[in-house]
Amino acid sequence: MEDVIKKIIEEAIPDAICLFKGDSCNLRLIVISSVFNEMSLINQHKKIMKLLEGKFQSGDLHALSLETRTS
């Protein structure tokens, strides 16, 4: 699942760096990108969650702890 998530994010945000911690039951994702520089934290999270919306809806992804950072 990590490879799928990384591909989805990197296709939409080319300079994104995706770091994963934990396992499929307790997955933590850190996304670092310059695209976040002018965005509020909530909008950063919304952007990533919108990209992963299909995976949540299909049930492929059911829980994710998200952290975003600017580069």
Side-chain angles (χ1 to χ4, degrees):
M1 180 53 64
E2 292 177 14
D3 290 337
V4 173
I5 292 170
K6 183 176 179 176
K7 184 175 188 254
I8 290 168
I9 293 171
E10 288 179 347
E11 284 179 357
I13 307 171
D15 77 333
I17 298 168
C18 298
L19 307 172
F20 295 91
K21 297 186 179 187
D23 56 30
S24 61
C25 294
N26 189 20
L27 188 60
R28 181 168 179 233
L29 169 62
I30 301 167
V31 182
I32 305 165
S33 173
S34 62
V35 79
F36 300 140
N37 287 345
E38 300 299 321
M39 298 173 75
S40 68
L41 183 61
I42 189 78
N43 286 336
Q44 294 172 25
H45 285 220
K46 283 181 180 180
K47 182 170 186 69
I48 298 300
M49 296 307 280
K50 182 71 173 169
L51 294 173
L52 300 175
E53 184 175 46
K55 294 298 171 191
F56 281 107
Q57 289 176 348
S58 70
D60 291 339
L61 186 60
H62 58 86
L64 180 69
S65 175
L66 177 62
E67 180 180 335
T68 53
R69 299 178 187 166
T70 60
S71 62

